[in-house]
Amino acid sequence: MEIKDLEASPDINDLEAHVCVIGSGPAGGIVAAKLAEKNVDVLLLEAGSDFPDYSTETIAGTSLFSKVTDLRFGWSKQFGGSSNLWSGRSYPLEDIDLKERDWIPESGWPFAPEVLSAYYEEAADIIGVPAYEGFASWHNIERKPSDLDPLFDEKGSLSVKPFQWGKKPFIVSDYLRSRAAELPGLRVLLNAPVIRLQEAEDASAVRTAEIRKADGSSVFVKAKIFVVATGGIQAPRLLLNSNEVRPAGIGNDHDVVGRYFSTHPKADMAAIILKKAVPTAHAFFVDRPLGAGSLRYGVGLSEAAQARLNVPNHYVQLSPVLEYQANRAFEAMKKTKVLNNDLIDRSRLVQGFLPGLGKLVFEIIGRIAKFQPRSKKFILRAFLDQYPDRENRIKLSSEKSEDGTYKAEIVWRFSDEDKQSVLKFFAELDTVLRGQNIGEVEYSGLEKQKDWPLVGIHSHFMGSTRMGHDPKTSVTDSNAKVHGSDNLYIAGPSLFPTYGFANPFLTLSALSLRLADHLLSEIK
């Protein structure tokens, strides 16, 4: 493997490669590595350097349902991309997330769920997640006994969802450097931002990628195959700005590029109040060791319950309320707009009960459960799915960036239908708790509040170049090739037609491995 910095190498002129991968995050880095280890000539382009750059100069503005947002949590222009921000948390999409569901308009991935199974195993090995046996037993894990076990009858409406963490987060730049000797076909070029793709006159294929240097000059890359792996905001922006041959942009003949954008809105939204105190050291409430990593359970709805209630796939994590530590943390956190919210109704909770804690504080609290070995009260932190919505989109602004291309504008909302699905989820959880005489869910704050201050657009940018069979509702085919192009592919979570609740890291890694196999078969 060879790494060069374009700004430090004035002798670099136009370049050629068999495969040009644009973006060195987990999606692009994994594709590049798997091709290069097979001696394919791969050029990996990264807009940033080895150092983090959180600037959002290429984004003009946002039209958001929630103003509680901060792109810095999911944005890093540097070698390795968003992998530099990943905490290591992992879970595959569930089968239902990939299926066509009659209650979810425009749902269904263009291949069966089992297609990803083998790639999940390979991805888990690469990113260092302590995988379960073939991932087939993710939903049937042997659990230590818990007072909550009666909630999870096999025929019931609730399901255990086990997230896990690796020993340390997977960072693409470290991974590629550690395998440099095994990747003879890989060249990495840093400080090489691609501003547009140039198509052949008949729009059948991409001929070159244009890199804009800091001094305003350009370097052009020719390749037989191009892979765009720049994330759910920048990938559609690049396609839309590449409009010299097709005025609407590459792949946008049916005005789909940038549409169906989603994220994973999250917030501390409700509370569970149990009839009796339960041990807080269980994996339902705190991270527990698993191999070289750790494990944490959460709660969601079974497939049957989702179908009965006509809702997408939401998930909650339970965190114990440690009053003394939590109140101290709240004093420090309440001034932080991104992490604080007002979704929990305080009226029925005891004095000293703490709403509005963010992820950072919850992780700290979760690790000091020994200070309160039993508790009756738990905050529910929700990780929310969303109905595919064509009006949620990345589009071009009228404002231009420093390189002369148009900036991206983000249009996103959490619709009334989305909100109703969350209320149905909490109502079902409440019904099951009361039916088992275990406790109840306090979520009246959600019902009363018109504006939900969710932590919305900050990471997990999905759906904006979705896969599918129909070019009228998708950007790529089942192999991630852009409709109408012979040699342009997309990698990353922008491919997701539907979203689930799981962190997309494991799934996008599996998709990149699948894409690499497809490209190897095409090259042969």
Side-chain angles (χ1 to χ4, degrees):
M1 183 179 74
E2 176 185 72
I3 302 176
K4 287 188 176 182
D5 187 316
L6 182 59
E7 294 303 323
S9 306
D11 57 320
I12 292 180
N13 296 309
D14 294 350
L15 298 163
E16 290 190 26
H18 195 120
V19 179
C20 175
V21 179
I22 304 167
S24 69
I30 286 175
V31 169
K34 191 165 186 179
L35 294 177
E37 69 185 15
K38 300 298 183 181
N39 289 306
V40 176
D41 174 28
V42 181
L43 177 61
L44 179 61
L45 302 178
E46 168 53 49
S49 67
D50 266 318
F51 303 100
D53 178 357
Y54 304 119
S55 65
T56 55
E57 188 272 333
T58 56
I59 298 175
T62 56
S63 301
L64 300 178
F65 152 78
S66 173
K67 299 301 181 184
V68 185
T69 179
D70 193 328
L71 289 169
R72 291 173 299 173
F73 285 106
W75 186 284
S76 181
K77 188 175 74 172
Q78 70 181 109
F79 189 20
S82 63
S83 70
N84 292 283
L85 305 174
W86 185 48
S87 68
R89 195 169 194 251
S90 182
Y91 187 67
L93 287 181
E94 298 182 321
D95 285 357
I96 193 170
D97 295 321
L98 277 66
K99 294 177 181 177
E100 183 177 354
R101 290 160 278 175
D102 57 15
W103 67 95
I104 307 284
E106 299 183 84
S107 59
W109 289 42
F111 48 75
E114 54 266 25
V115 168
L116 283 183
S117 297
Y119 292 107
Y120 272 135
E121 292 188 59
E122 187 178 352
D125 183 59
I126 288 173
I127 68 178
V129 176
Y132 298 107
E133 200 174 322
F135 281 92
S137 59
W138 275 80
H139 307 291
N140 301 299
I141 294 174
E142 290 185 12
R143 301 189 307 274
K144 291 184 177 180
S146 163
D147 295 80
L148 300 186
D149 284 348
L151 300 176
F152 304 107
D153 181 87
E154 288 187 3
K155 298 181 180 179
S157 59
L158 300 184
S159 177
V160 176
K161 317 285 187 176
F163 272 94
Q164 56 179 341
W165 285 259
K167 183 177 182 179
K168 63 178 183 177
F170 170 81
I171 299 176
V172 171
S173 54
D174 293 344
Y175 171 69
L176 295 180
R177 284 190 167 103
S178 70
R179 300 192 62 211
E182 305 168 43
L183 305 174
L186 181 60
R187 291 171 286 155
V188 179
L189 189 60
L190 305 179
N191 280 315
V194 174
I195 63 167
R196 66 174 57 88
L197 304 172
Q198 297 176 329
E199 289 185 294
E201 290 184 4
D202 62 359
S204 62
V206 172
R207 294 299 183 226
T208 61
E210 180 182 356
I211 301 169
R212 182 60 52 85
K213 298 176 70 174
D215 63 7
S217 62
S218 293
V219 171
F220 293 90
V221 177
K222 291 182 180 181
K224 294 182 179 180
I225 296 171
F226 289 88
V227 178
V228 174
T230 51
I233 297 174
Q234 293 298 336
R237 176 175 174 266
L238 177 58
L239 297 184
L240 294 171
N241 268 302
S242 302
N243 58 3
E244 292 181 346
V245 175
R246 287 185 273 183
I250 295 177
N252 200 35
D253 295 345
H254 299 282
D255 190 24
V256 184
V257 172
R259 293 188 180 272
Y260 301 97
F261 174 76
S262 186
T263 180
H264 278 141
K266 53 184 70 72
D268 313 315
M269 302 183 76
I272 279 184
I273 306 171
L274 303 179
K275 295 281 188 180
K276 65 175 185 177
V278 297
T280 58
H282 194 275
F284 272 116
F285 314 116
V286 66
D287 301 347
R288 302 295 300 172
L290 175 68
S294 59
L295 170 75
R296 178 73 175 269
Y297 299 132
V299 179
L301 294 174
S302 66
E303 288 193 18
Q306 290 177 48
R308 172 170 53 84
L309 297 171
N310 293 336
V311 298
N313 197 4
H314 302 309
Y315 160 90
V316 289
Q317 181 176 298
L318 287 70
S319 295
V321 179
L322 309 179
E323 295 181 4
Y324 172 72
Q325 291 86 357
N327 273 291
R328 289 186 63 188
F330 179 64
E331 290 305 313
M333 298 299 296
K334 66 182 179 181
K335 297 178 182 178
T336 307
K337 184 177 75 170
V338 172
L339 299 178
N340 192 28
N341 70 75
D342 301 313
L343 289 178
I344 298 174
D345 181 12
R346 298 149 172 82
S347 60
R348 298 183 55 220
L349 304 177
V350 299
Q351 184 177 5
F353 186 83
L354 177 64
L357 277 178
K359 174 180 181 293
L360 177 62
V361 173
F362 267 125
E363 287 186 351
I364 294 170
I365 289 176
R367 288 170 171 77
I368 57 174
K370 62 184 180 181
F371 292 107
Q372 187 175 335
R374 303 182 72 87
S375 180
K376 290 183 179 180
K377 297 182 287 293
F378 299 87
I379 286 180
L380 298 182
R381 182 163 183 80
F383 299 78
L384 303 177
D385 196 0
Q386 189 171 25
Y387 296 101
D389 187 342
R390 182 180 170 85
E391 298 310 311
N392 285 342
R393 63 185 299 196
I394 306 299
K395 63 180 184 178
L396 294 184
S397 167
S398 59
E399 190 178 331
K400 287 190 174 182
S401 63
E402 294 175 356
D403 60 24
T405 58
Y406 290 101
K407 295 184 178 184
E409 181 178 340
I410 304 171
V411 180
W412 179 81
R413 62 176 183 151
F414 199 69
S415 69
D416 289 339
E417 186 179 18
D418 292 323
K419 293 179 188 177
Q420 287 302 312
S421 72
V422 177
L423 294 174
K424 288 180 181 179
F425 172 39
F426 282 121
E428 183 70 14
L429 180 57
D430 183 58
T431 297
V432 174
L433 280 164
R434 291 176 186 270
Q436 294 283 351
N437 198 34
I438 290 175
E440 60 184 287
V441 180
E442 169 52 47
Y443 65 101
S444 58
L446 287 175
E447 298 175 299
K448 295 173 183 176
Q449 234 174 310
K450 180 180 179 181
D451 295 324
W452 293 5
L454 299 167
V455 178
I457 307 300
H458 82 304
S459 62
H460 305 180
F461 310 129
M462 303 172 290
S464 52
T465 62
R466 68 200 315 249
M467 292 189 296
H469 297 299
D470 186 353
K472 293 181 180 179
T473 58
S474 61
V475 176
T476 82
D477 64 14
S478 61
N479 291 316
K481 184 163 69 71
V482 173
H483 294 304
S485 179
D486 293 339
N487 69 338
L488 178 60
Y489 294 81
I490 307 290
S494 62
L495 291 171
F496 292 14
T498 48
Y499 324 109
F501 61 83
N503 181 307
F505 203 100
L506 183 63
T507 300
L508 72 87
S509 300
L511 283 174
S512 287
L513 292 168
R514 180 175 181 267
L515 172 57
D517 274 353
H518 173 73
L519 294 179
L520 287 170
S521 68
E522 292 288 299
I523 291 168
K524 288 180 181 178

